[in-house]
Amino acid sequence: MGKRGGAMGTVLGTGGAMGLLLGLRSPKPPSSPKLASSPEPASSPEPASSPAPERCPQRLSVVPKAGAGSSSRQRGCEHGAWRSLAPSLAPGMTPAPAWPPRHGTAWHGSACFGSSTGITATGTGTSTVLGTAPWAAWARRFGIAALRGCVGRGESPDPMAPPRPAARLLPPLILALAGAARGTFTVRAWPQVAVVPFGGSVAINCSHSACPDHEPTLGLETSLTKNATEAGSSWQKFVLVNVSEWNPQPALCYATCGEQRATAPAAVLVYRVPERVVLEPVPAVAVGESRNLTCRVAEVAPLANLTVTLRRGGETLRTQNFGAAAGSASVAVSHLLTVGPGDHGQDVTCHAELSLRPHGPLFARAAVPVKLVVYALPEPPQLEAPARLEAGATANASCRVVGAFPAEDAHFSLVLDGRSLDVAVTEGGDTLTASTRLSPRTAGLQELNCTVTVGAAARTARAQLHVYRFPAPVLELSPVPAGGEVTVTCRAPAAEPPAVRLQLRDADGGVLAEGPQPQLELRLVAQREDDGRWFGCRASLAVGDGTVTKDTEARLAVLYMPEMEASSCPSNRTWLQGTREALSCGATGNPAPTVTCTRNGATVSTQRPELVTRSHAGTYLCNATNSLGTRSRLVTVHVEYEPSLTESGCPAHRTWVEGERRELACRAEGDPAPSTRCTRDEGPPGTGGGRAVSRSDAGRYTCRATNKHGSALRSVYVSVEYEPSIGEAGCPARRLWVEGTAAELGCNASGNPLPHVACAKLGDPHAPPASPNVTRAHAGTYQCRATNAHGSALRNITITVEYSPVAVSLRVVPSANVSRGASFSVECRAEGLPAPTFGWALPPAPNLRFGADNRSVAVARAAAANRGVYTCTASNRHGRRAGSVVVRVDESRLALLVSLGVLGAVTVLGLAAAGIYYLKTTACKKGEYNVRDAEGTSEGARLHRGDAGGRGEVFGIQLTPT
């Protein structure tokens, strides 16, 4: 009997089918359980309300008729009376406010037999709590068609042995009714562990079994403050309010029925959710150093249920559990972490979980994450800057550092003579470089500083900068007519420092004059060939350890009339379309002549290049004019251009139909006239008037037009449309599905345009509806049709659905009750695809013979060793299913006579019960059942085998209508 049932009451299940009277061994009394925080297995014993010399625990699997899930119930009997059903809920179900259920709740039941005392009701009906009411009124009220009695008192012989003398002397029905009259008064408390927050409230339901001859009392004993609320005929709800004790004693449900008193405890678990979870801040830390991570959890109880976990990102650093402590407490969990570069930016988190499972919820709290800041600055920065710079000038400077981590957190500060500079930082590998522009305004020696900061580390580099003021020298030349005298002057403005040296130079680098004086002069007579002669003036200034030089140049101007030569103004020009050209026409003369060009009376620019188009072709008139006269020249311009392919001459998309005759042609423009050729990966298409189109012609082609100025490409896509076709690759004709798995009847068809594919089951106007899971109804032949504008195609698809074995049934021939020395066989049948194979689990005996296909086992000359449970397991690659049957071997004639007498008595009772059942057929249309036949089929399954402790065997029979 499951522990979760709590204290038990007297319950009679409702009936249905005919039962048999069997004497089975009485088990030992169960021991009292202990309350624990973890769930106990469903098979753990329950405390009895009072000592009893004999018990016959039973088991009944109960499934609600409504089908909203399933649950397991256990039923037992003491002193010949049924105990209450004890719920053991499956996950996701909600327990009822009180147990047993009120009259009117509908259940399906499985037979429960094999006890030494008590009455077992089997079949389908309505469960209710009953006392020791007469069996006839009980049967009339609840539609019981058959009863199973427990024969004898005390320890019963082996389940397969003949009944004791008491059983042979008393009518089976009288024994059954006597067992039902000796009911045990019991109490149940739910829940067995009440979970409540400190200072909160929780409800406890107390219920008792039937007390037909007395007025029962029901109450709750506890040191806590309680309020009685809702109540029923056999139950009372109590609410424990303002629970302020950390470890209170269990509450005790008690009830009295006459002189009987029964109790059931309910433990009270008091908890407190952590008030706060705090993760202490972690300062920035250098790579390779260690820091303590500390998480503090405030005021939580019970401490033994607390788990604190420290994580770095997704990695668990430490998980801490705690021992028991009185009341609530605060705890701290620490972990020493040695950081590396990979830890930078990682979140350190702390999670606290208070688990009250399986009796209560799981509470989780998390601290605000702390982000790790890791840094490294292993080397000092390297500063690169010029040693000398002119005031007012601009120069680049850079500061480079290697190995700074994290690079994105590195901060550069560049300061020149106390003034901060703007920097731009770039990253290359593990090197960071900060660049800036130096623009000093005053002359003198200045210091440039670069400081790099990462995390808590900072390093600085320094450089000296010599700032000077040095204007460029001045070179003076005056224009002169040919044959006139000219003076060349070189002079230097004031500089800082003032030490300047001058040189007057010619075009070949020769020195014409030099000296430290502030001005140099040179006189000469100008000739025609001196026009444009180059002169240079160089000034040198000593700054620091080096010298700075500056140069100024000028050309001598000798005045003469304009001249236009063929080399500077060609008469014929060829331009290329798309380039930028100017109608330049060079002319010599001094003063410099002005050149203008016109076409058809319109002036054309000769200086600004323009984008060349075909309209620029033609003849132009160019004139060169200065103060001494004018020269003229005719210029002819010819414009060539590279090929072009346009949509009008070469459409980019063409649609052909399979079987037509087509040719891929493109017309190009260009000067000179281009040649055109279209190709594809497989080679050029057929020419000579075109050819018949096939699907292989579909694809992308590249057409190229070429002349001496270049080529033009155009991508042409040819689409070939054709009627649909369905092949084996995209639409296999045979499919193998497995029942319960996901499958989709997909069929890919080829065709252009893309065909529409629709599939329907042949010969079945009511095809199975679409479902994510395969059923056997999906098996069959389907026809898929692919359709587009050019036609359609058909393909049949056969689907085979395989499934695991189902409907395992066993049949004992001639009967499951075999006389000693007789022969019998057990046959096993099952459905499945592929066809299942069969295996057996049966009592060991030397006289067994298995069938050729292992579907049956034959026993010749049955003996005591042949009795027991015969289990057949059907298996295929998708699963297995088992069925069992119980075979009994009678070993004496006396047993046979007794069985015949029992059968006669049961037959008489069966006829009477059948009459009652027939009258109730319209109200309870559940069919008639035969328990003996059910025991001889696969529907009879042994639920529990006897062990060395002397427990009796308990069997379950799934009832089927007859």
Side-chain angles (χ1 to χ4, degrees):
M1 188 175 301
K3 177 176 177 61
R4 296 182 63 176
M8 308 303 294
T10 304
V11 176
L12 282 178
T14 60
M18 182 69 66
L20 292 177
L21 303 174
L22 299 175
L24 299 182
R25 181 177 295 124
S26 174
K28 293 182 179 180
S31 59
S32 299
K34 295 181 179 180
L35 181 63
S37 60
S38 60
E40 297 185 8
S43 60
S44 62
E46 257 189 15
S49 60
S50 61
E54 50 186 344
R55 294 176 182 167
C56 49
Q58 309 289 321
R59 183 178 178 88
L60 176 60
S61 296
V62 181
V63 179
K65 289 174 66 178
S70 63
S71 61
S72 175
R73 302 289 188 266
Q74 294 188 358
R75 172 177 295 183
C77 62
E78 292 187 7
H79 307 292
W82 283 101
R83 301 176 66 188
S84 61
L85 296 174
S88 177
L89 296 178
M93 296 191 66
T94 303
W99 188 265
R102 296 188 179 90
H103 172 65
T105 305
W107 303 88
H108 282 298
S110 295
C112 194
F113 58 90
S115 62
S116 60
T117 62
I119 296 176
T120 303
T122 63
T124 303
T126 304
S127 67
T128 187
V129 179
L130 293 177
T132 56
W135 79 271
W138 178 64
R140 286 194 302 272
R141 182 178 179 187
F142 300 103
I144 303 304
L147 299 176
R148 179 181 303 283
C150 301
V151 182
R153 297 179 59 83
E155 291 295 328
S156 173
D158 189 84
M160 297 304 172
R164 292 191 176 184
R168 296 195 297 269
L169 296 177
L170 295 177
L173 179 60
I174 296 177
L175 290 179
L177 295 177
R182 294 192 298 273
T184 300
F185 182 69
T186 56
V187 172
R188 177 179 176 269
W190 187 91
Q192 288 189 339
V193 178
V195 180
V196 59
F198 186 79
S201 301
V202 66
I204 296 178
N205 288 326
C206 298
S207 61
H208 64 77
S209 60
C211 180
D213 300 327
H214 301 278
E215 182 66 28
T217 61
L218 184 63
L220 180 70
E221 293 181 356
T222 178
S223 61
L224 304 173
T225 303
K226 67 177 184 295
N227 292 331
T229 58
E230 305 172 48
S233 60
S234 59
W235 61 274
Q236 175 72 60
K237 177 179 178 181
F238 297 91
V239 177
L240 305 182
V241 296
N242 192 22
V243 178
S244 301
E245 294 182 24
W246 281 113
N247 296 294
Q249 293 297 319
L252 191 67
C253 287
Y254 67 89
T256 60
C257 178
E259 296 181 355
Q260 297 186 71
R261 174 182 170 87
T263 61
V268 180
L269 177 61
V270 183
Y271 68 91
R272 172 174 285 169
V273 179
E275 290 183 359
R276 61 186 178 278
V277 179
V278 178
L279 191 60
E280 292 185 355
V282 180
V285 55
V287 172
E289 294 185 359
S290 300
R291 287 289 186 275
N292 262 322
L293 308 177
T294 302
C295 179
R296 301 186 182 277
V297 182
E299 296 303 323
V300 59
L303 199 59
N305 295 51
L306 177 66
T307 300
V308 178
T309 303
L310 278 171
R311 293 187 179 90
R312 174 183 55 195
E315 177 188 0
T316 298
L317 300 176
R318 182 172 183 181
T319 298
Q320 179 76 44
N321 295 315
F322 303 89
S328 64
S330 298
V331 295
V333 177
S334 296
H335 178 77
L336 184 64
L337 178 65
T338 300
V339 301
D343 294 321
H344 181 70
Q346 291 276 8
D347 281 337
V348 175
T349 58
C350 178
H351 297 265
E353 292 185 350
L354 181 65
S355 176
L356 305 179
R357 294 174 176 171
H359 309 296
L362 173 74
F363 296 99
R365 294 287 187 274
V368 176
V370 172
K371 193 174 294 294
L372 291 176
V373 177
V374 181
Y375 66 90
L377 190 59
E379 298 181 8
Q382 300 176 13
L383 183 59
E384 296 180 0
R388 296 172 295 275
L389 185 61
E390 185 176 6
T394 300
N396 293 326
S398 64
C399 183
R400 179 166 51 89
V401 66
V402 179
F405 178 85
E408 60 272 14
D409 291 346
H411 175 71
F412 287 83
S413 174
L414 274 81
V415 178
L416 176 62
D417 198 26
R419 181 171 58 90
S420 295
L421 305 177
D422 295 332
V423 298
V425 180
T426 59
E427 181 178 0
D430 62 346
T431 302
L432 295 177
T433 303
S435 301
T436 188
R437 302 282 288 175
L438 303 178
S439 300
R441 300 300 179 187
T442 59
L445 183 64
Q446 300 183 12
E447 184 177 79
L448 177 63
N449 295 329
C450 175
T451 302
V452 183
T453 303
V454 181
R459 294 201 176 193
T460 301
R462 294 177 174 83
Q464 299 294 323
L465 179 62
H466 294 274
V467 182
Y468 60 91
R469 193 178 301 279
F470 182 30
V474 177
L475 181 59
E476 297 176 349
L477 288 173
S478 299
V480 60
E485 185 181 80
V486 63
T487 300
V488 181
T489 303
C490 176
R491 60 183 179 86
E496 186 182 351
V500 178
R501 186 175 183 82
L502 295 175
Q503 283 184 345
L504 185 60
R505 305 161 65 89
D506 61 13
D508 296 329
V511 178
L512 302 176
E514 68 176 331
Q517 60 268 34
Q519 180 172 308
L520 297 175
E521 290 185 354
L522 176 65
R523 290 183 175 88
L524 55 86
V525 175
Q527 303 297 328
R528 164 72 181 80
E529 57 271 18
D530 290 332
D531 184 48
R533 181 181 175 181
W534 185 91
F535 292 92
C537 177
R538 170 171 290 181
S540 302
L541 177 66
V543 179
D545 296 335
T547 301
V548 180
T549 62
K550 286 190 176 183
D551 293 286
T552 300
E553 62 183 36
R555 292 183 180 273
L556 178 62
V558 179
L559 304 178
Y560 60 93
M561 276 190 65
E563 296 179 0
M564 300 178 68
E565 299 179 359
S567 59
S568 60
C569 187
S571 297
N572 291 289
R573 316 247 182 128
T574 299
W575 292 352
L576 178 63
Q577 179 179 272
T579 62
R580 301 190 73 85
E581 298 283 353
L583 188 61
S584 60
C585 197
T588 61
N590 202 4
T594 300
V595 179
T596 59
C597 296
T598 60
R599 180 187 178 192
N600 300 327
T603 301
V604 179
S605 173
T606 58
Q607 301 298 324
R608 180 170 50 86
E610 296 180 355
L611 186 66
V612 176
T613 65
R614 300 177 203 179
S615 63
H616 285 91
T619 300
Y620 297 80
L621 175 63
C622 293
N623 296 318
T625 303
N626 68 5
S627 59
L628 303 178
T630 300
R631 294 282 192 270
S632 298
R633 192 175 187 84
L634 293 176
V635 178
T636 301
V637 176
H638 177 72
V639 177
E640 294 184 350
Y641 52 96
E642 64 183 2
S644 63
L645 290 168
T646 61
E647 182 68 19
S648 59
C650 188
H653 189 276
R654 313 192 187 184
T655 301
W656 296 349
V657 178
E658 189 175 36
E660 294 181 349
R661 299 190 67 82
R662 292 281 186 170
E663 179 181 6
L664 184 61
C666 271
R667 177 171 48 84
E669 297 179 357
D671 189 4
S675 62
T676 305
R677 180 181 177 85
C678 296
T679 61
R680 62 176 294 180
D681 292 343
E682 296 79 9
T687 57
R691 60 187 178 85
V693 175
S694 66
R695 299 181 197 180
S696 62
D697 294 327
R700 189 166 294 280
Y701 294 78
T702 299
C703 293
R704 180 187 297 270
T706 307
N707 66 10
K708 70 177 183 180
H709 296 297
S711 61
L713 297 176
R714 186 169 179 83
S715 179
V716 177
Y717 184 78
V718 176
S719 175
V720 178
E721 295 188 351
Y722 51 91
E723 64 182 3
S725 64
I726 306 177
E728 178 69 17
C731 189
R734 294 190 174 276
R735 315 278 179 96
L736 181 62
W737 292 357
V738 178
E739 183 180 33
T741 63
E744 181 179 359
L745 182 58
C747 191
N748 295 329
S750 61
N752 194 13
L754 184 68
H756 170 73
V757 181
C759 299
K761 193 171 185 180
L762 291 178
D764 188 358
H766 305 289
S771 171
N773 294 325
V774 174
T775 66
R776 280 172 258 174
H778 288 98
T781 300
Y782 295 76
Q783 186 176 79
C784 294
R785 178 185 297 272
T787 306
N788 70 4
H790 301 290
S792 62
L794 298 176
R795 186 172 181 83
N796 289 343
I797 300 171
T798 301
I799 294 177
T800 302
V801 178
E802 293 188 352
Y803 54 95
S804 61
V806 296
V808 177
S809 63
L810 285 86
R811 186 168 68 94
V812 183
V813 179
S815 171
N817 293 320
V818 182
S819 300
R820 182 180 182 87
S823 298
F824 68 93
S825 64
V826 183
E827 299 177 354
C828 183
R829 294 187 180 90
E831 296 179 8
L833 191 66
T837 59
F838 298 88
W840 292 85
L842 39 72
N847 55 344
L848 301 176
R849 182 168 51 85
F850 294 91
D853 56 358
N854 218 35
R855 288 175 177 266
S856 63
V857 58
V859 178
R861 300 184 62 81
N866 297 118
R867 66 187 178 188
V869 177
Y870 287 68
T871 300
C872 172
T873 302
S875 307
N876 65 11
R877 62 173 171 247
H878 300 298
R880 59 178 56 199
R881 183 67 64 87
S884 300
V885 67
V886 179
V887 175
R888 296 176 175 81
V889 178
D890 293 335
E891 299 185 19
S892 66
R893 294 184 178 179
L894 181 59
L896 178 60
L897 293 177
V898 171
S899 298
L900 291 175
V902 170
L903 181 61
V906 170
T907 302
V908 173
L909 294 175
L911 293 175
I916 296 173
Y917 174 79
Y918 178 78
L919 295 176
K920 295 181 63 66
T921 297
T922 57
C924 184
K925 298 179 180 179
K926 301 300 180 181
E928 188 174 14
Y929 299 81
N930 188 294
V931 175
R932 176 179 292 277
D933 290 344
E935 293 172 354
T937 67
S938 63
E939 305 301 326
R942 182 169 57 177
L943 302 178
H944 181 71
R945 298 191 63 176
D947 52 23
R951 285 182 191 270
E953 292 183 333
V954 180
F955 300 85
I957 298 175
Q958 183 66 42
L959 300 180
T960 57
T962 59

